[in-house]
Structures are given as structure tokens and as C-alpha cells.
């Protein structure tokens, strides 16, 4: 039976990969869940091993002594403050990890590396991408384009595999819905806190973004579905050296989801939520790149000079909202009532909302 290594084992996506491997002891002999801390118990064939992926390859090799497997699920990710830092740090983590496996000799047993990336692959951060987003779409890079560390990671992976006996698979999940303790870059956590506090403040749950976004369409990726895909792709020969979108398969809209969220939390969506008067400083508008990703292929699609720049419009800017005195008071009350643990006042809760709900990184207060 094969064995597996999972990096980022406590993250939203890595955690579910470990869980899926952990429920199938008949297929997977040993699972090495790698992270700096173990946050939950594992079945007997799943072993937690310490690793610090920010170390250099030599230091990592010492941490990886005695650890080997046929399949590596690389789901680790470290959010930094700039795209250059994201490029450097996340690229180095993958490069040094693979180098460390070479140093220990574990690379000789390796058959496939499955790398988790995301919808940022399609350049959603500088503006509207081509729709639908397909794996064969051109990468959004070059002069005037922001760095995309997913491209760096994929090139590192492909270059390493060219001279090796193992191959690779890359996944592109979209807006991820999942659970992981202490991980605040989570759409579900962000919505949950916003809804819980809104209930405490009177029960009206106002959608924080624009009416246009509310009535548009989107798709999501359930973290458990992504894990199941990873397990299938790991051992499916036809997946070799390919990248795959991994989404739930249904099409959703916030006009459908938001009332359901409100009901779940005992709130009500105001009938005229987009006409409600708000403080003039409650919202924000962020203009995106003047040349959006969709413009890359506009001419061949008959849309030359027809692609408008994107913008992120927040009727309620959740960073500003989180700093309101009544919100702070409500959160403090909820934390005491529910026994929730104290969190840093600037923990980022909404990084994943860039392309889904808020559009900028949000924070919350104690």
C-alpha cells in the first residue's frame, strides 16, 4: 500500500486531505501530516511530523529524516503583505521542500506531487477574468501585471519533474468553503462572524458588497470535495502533468445564498437593503487594473476595446465596520457568552473574499 505526505496539514484544504487519507487505511499505509503544530487527533496510520517550511533545505532535510512516501500533497501556503514576498516565500517553500527530499533520499520513492493553488491562477486579483475560466487559459503575466506566486510554484514543480522519475498534478479550487482551527483566511468564518454580530446588533443582515455583485453568479469549492479529488488524482495515471479546476459543479448567487445565511443565524435581510442610508464613510471603492485579465483574449473573442476595468465596491467596508464601538462591544459580549477564544484584533478573516464577497482583506477586533 502507498504512503502519503501532506504539507499544510492544518490548513483549510490540507486538513481535509489528511482527513480523507485518514478514513482510508485500507488504501494508505502511512500518512505523514506535516505542520508546525498538531491541532487534532489522528487515526493510528496518520502520524504528525513537525516541519517549518520557512527553513532552508538543509534544515528541512533534518526535520524530514525517516519520512518518505510515494505521494506528496503540497497544500501549504503563507500569506505575505506583497506579491513579491508571496512569490519569494511560497516559491522557496516548495523549492526547499523538494530539495530536502532529494537530500534525504526520499525523492527516490516519490511517484507524484499534487500541488494545491487557487483561482488566483486566472488573475482575478487585478480584475475580471475571461469566463468561464479554463485550465488552458493563458497565464496573466508580463509587463504591467502583478506577480503571481502560483506561476512560480508551478514552474518550480515542472522543472524539478523534468529530471526526475515522478510527475505532478495541480489543482485550482475556486472560493473555498471549509473549516480549520485558527485559520482566519476563511470565507465561512468571515460570514459567520459578520452574521453573529449582526444578530447581536438587532438582527438585520445587510449584504456588504454591491447590488450588482449580489445578483451575479459564482461557484465554490467545498474543501472535502477538493480532498476527494486529490486522492483520486494522486493515483489516476491519466492526470499526469496536468492542472485541474476543482469546483462543486453548481452555479450560485448571493441573492440565493444570503437569505439562507440570514435564516441560519436568526437574522433578516432588509427588504430594501441596497436603499438603506449608510454613513458616508461606511463603504469603500477600490479600482482594479485598467487592463483586466479578460483583455488578454478580448480581440480573438470579438470584444476588443469592450472590456471595462473592474472595481471592488463595498457598501459596508468590513475593516471599518469591525472597528465600530458597537461592533466591538457586541463581539466582546458574544465571546464571553459562547466561550470563544480571544483573537488578535487584526486577524485577517476575509482574504478569500477577494473574488467572492468583500473583495479586500478584512479584519476583526477583540
Amino acid at each position: 500500500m502507498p504512503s502519503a505526505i501532506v504539507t499544510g496539514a492544518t490548513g483549510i484544504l490540507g486538513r481535509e486531505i489528511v482527513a480523507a487519507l485518514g478514513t482510508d487505511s485500507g488504501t494508505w499505509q502511512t500518512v505523514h501530516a506535516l505542520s508546525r503544530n498538531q491541532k487534532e487527533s489522528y487515526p493510528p496510520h496518520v502520524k504528525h511530523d513537525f516541519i517549518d517550511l520557512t527553513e532552508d533545505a538543509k534544515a528541512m532535510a533534518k526535520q524530514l529524516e525517516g519520512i518518505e512516501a510515494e505521494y506528496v500533497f503540497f497544500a501549504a501556503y503563507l500569506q505575505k503583505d506583497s506579491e513579491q514576498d508571496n512569490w519569494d516565500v511560497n516559491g522557496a517553500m516548495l523549492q526547499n521542500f523538494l530539495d530536502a527530499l532529494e537530500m534525504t533520499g526520499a525523492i527516490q520513492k516519490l511517484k507524484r506531487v499534487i500541488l494545491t493553488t487557487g483561482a488566483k491562477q486566472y488573475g482575478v486579483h487585478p480584475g475580471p477574468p475571461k469566463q468561464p475560466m479554463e485550465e488552458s487559459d493563458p497565464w496573466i503575466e508580463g509587463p504591467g501585471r502583478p506577480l503571481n506566486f502560483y506561476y512560480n510554484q508551478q514552474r518550480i514543480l515542472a522543472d524539478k519533474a523534468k529530471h526526475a522519475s515522478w510527475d505532478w498534478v495541480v489543482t485550482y479550487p475556486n472560493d473555498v468553503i471549509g473549516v480549520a482551527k485558527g485559520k482566519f483566511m476563511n470565507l465561512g468564518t468571515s460570514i459567520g462572524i459578520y452574521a453573529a454580530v449582526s444578530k447581536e446588533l438587532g438582527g438585520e443582515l445587510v449584504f456588504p458588497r454591491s447590488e450588482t455583485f449580489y445578483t451575479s453568479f459564482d461557484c465554490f469549492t467545498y474543501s472535502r470535495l477538493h480532498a476527494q479529488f486529490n486522492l483520486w488524482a494522486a493515483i489516476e495515471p491519466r492526470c499526469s502533468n496536468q492542472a485541474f479546476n476543482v469546483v462543486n459543479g453548481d452555479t450560485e448567487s448571493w441573492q440565493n445564498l444570503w437569505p439562507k445565511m440570514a435564516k441560519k443565524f436568526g437574522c433578516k435581510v432588509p427588504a430594501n437593503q441596497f436603499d438603506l442610508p449608510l454613513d458616508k464613510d461606511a463603504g469603500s471603492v477600490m479600482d482594479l487594473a485598467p487592463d483586466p485579465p479578460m483583455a488578454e483574449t478580448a480581440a480573438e473573442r470579438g470584444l476588443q476595446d469592450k472590456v471595462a476595468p473592474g472595481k471592488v465596491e463595498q457598501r459596508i467596508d468590513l475593516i471599518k465596520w469591525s472597528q465600530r464601538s458597537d461592533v466591538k462591544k457586541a463581539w466582546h459580549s458574544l465571546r464571553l457568552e459562547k466561550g470563544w477564544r480571544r483573537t488578535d484584533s487584526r486577524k485577517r478573516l476575509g482574504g478569500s473574499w477577494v473574488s467572492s464577497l468583500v473583495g479586500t482583506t478584512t479584519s476583526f477586533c477583540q
Side-chain angles (χ1 to χ4, degrees):
M1 294 190 297
S3 295
I5 295 171
V6 184
T7 69
T10 60
I12 293 171
L13 291 170
R15 174 180 179 269
E16 293 296 347
I17 294 172
V18 172
L21 293 165
T23 59
D24 192 5
S25 59
T27 300
W28 300 93
Q29 181 176 15
T30 304
V31 178
H32 296 279
L34 305 186
S35 64
R36 281 183 279 196
N37 299 288
Q38 182 175 350
K39 296 186 176 181
E40 54 194 313
S41 59
Y42 295 132
H45 73 290
V46 178
K47 305 180 185 302
H48 176 264
D49 297 288
F50 172 86
I51 194 167
D52 184 351
L53 290 169
T54 64
E55 296 274 15
D56 61 25
K58 289 183 179 179
M60 246 188 272
K62 292 181 180 180
Q63 297 165 10
L64 290 169
E65 287 180 1
I67 298 173
E68 60 180 18
E70 291 85 352
Y71 300 95
V72 167
F73 299 87
F74 198 92
Y77 162 64
L78 187 58
Q79 174 65 35
K80 305 301 289 183
D81 292 333
S82 72
E83 294 300 345
Q84 183 66 63
D85 286 344
N86 279 327
W87 175 282
D88 294 340
V89 171
N90 288 283
M93 289 198 305
L94 178 59
Q95 179 75 58
N96 291 336
F97 178 78
L98 295 173
D99 288 347
L101 292 181
E102 291 179 346
M103 292 177 184
T104 65
I107 204 80
Q108 301 301 319
K109 188 175 183 178
L110 187 62
K111 292 182 177 180
R112 179 169 289 174
V113 176
I114 302 90
L115 171 66
T116 295
T117 61
K120 198 173 183 179
Q121 164 73 19
Y122 298 104
V124 296
H125 45 310
K130 164 193 155 290
Q131 294 289 353
M133 297 179 288
E134 299 174 302
E135 297 92 335
S136 58
D137 289 349
W139 288 10
I140 310 301
E141 58 183 345
R145 295 298 188 190
L147 290 173
N148 191 326
F149 75 88
Y150 290 156
Y151 302 164
N152 189 24
Q153 287 186 314
Q154 288 172 84
R155 288 192 173 107
I156 289 170
L157 191 62
D159 287 345
K160 275 284 190 182
K162 283 179 183 178
H163 311 289
S165 59
W166 50 271
D167 62 6
W168 53 266
V169 172
V170 178
T171 67
Y172 302 150
N174 198 37
D175 300 330
V176 174
I177 306 296
V179 175
K181 185 177 181 180
K183 306 297 181 181
F184 296 100
M185 230 177 126
N186 185 340
L187 179 60
T189 299
S190 302
I191 293 175
I193 290 178
Y194 179 61
V197 172
S198 294
K199 175 66 178 343
E200 190 78 2
L201 293 176
E204 287 195 335
L205 190 64
V206 179
F207 190 70
R209 272 199 70 176
S210 68
E211 181 178 355
T212 299
F213 196 89
Y214 189 72
T215 55
S216 63
F217 294 92
D218 199 358
C219 56
F220 298 89
T221 301
Y222 184 33
S223 56
R224 291 184 182 177
L225 176 71
H226 179 265
Q228 291 298 326
F229 180 87
N230 269 254
L231 268 61
W232 171 79
I235 59 178
E236 172 52 59
R238 293 171 297 176
C239 291
S240 177
N241 298 336
Q242 295 187 71
F244 298 89
N245 288 335
V246 184
V247 296
N248 293 351
D250 55 350
T251 301
E252 260 299 353
S253 176
W254 286 106
Q255 62 184 302
N256 181 52
L257 287 174
W258 202 245
K260 294 178 181 180
M261 297 290 181
K263 183 178 180 180
K264 174 71 175 179
F265 284 87
C267 296
K268 180 180 179 180
V269 178
N272 61 338
Q273 63 174 333
F274 294 106
D275 295 323
L276 293 176
L278 300 172
D279 293 340
K280 64 178 182 178
D281 295 326
S284 64
V285 177
M286 180 176 66
D287 292 325
L288 300 178
D291 190 24
M294 190 175 173
E296 297 277 337
T297 58
E300 67 186 73
R301 301 179 190 283
L303 294 171
Q304 185 170 317
D305 301 325
K306 298 295 183 181
V307 179
K311 66 178 180 179
V312 175
E313 180 182 355
Q314 300 181 68
R315 297 187 72 249
I316 301 174
D317 185 318
L318 294 193
I319 294 178
K320 297 176 182 178
W321 175 85
S322 71
Q323 301 305 307
R324 282 171 26 184
S325 59
D326 58 338
V327 170
K328 290 183 178 181
K329 182 178 179 181
W331 173 245
H332 181 71
S333 176
L334 280 169
R335 189 173 61 80
L336 294 179
E337 177 188 344
K338 305 293 185 180
W340 294 338
R341 68 186 184 89
R342 188 179 182 88
T343 59
D344 189 319
S345 64
R346 299 302 296 178
K347 285 288 187 183
R348 287 177 291 183
L349 302 182
S352 60
W353 290 29
V354 168
S355 60
S356 52
L357 183 59
V358 178
T360 58
T361 302
T362 63
S363 63
F364 201 77
C365 53
Q366 294 175 356

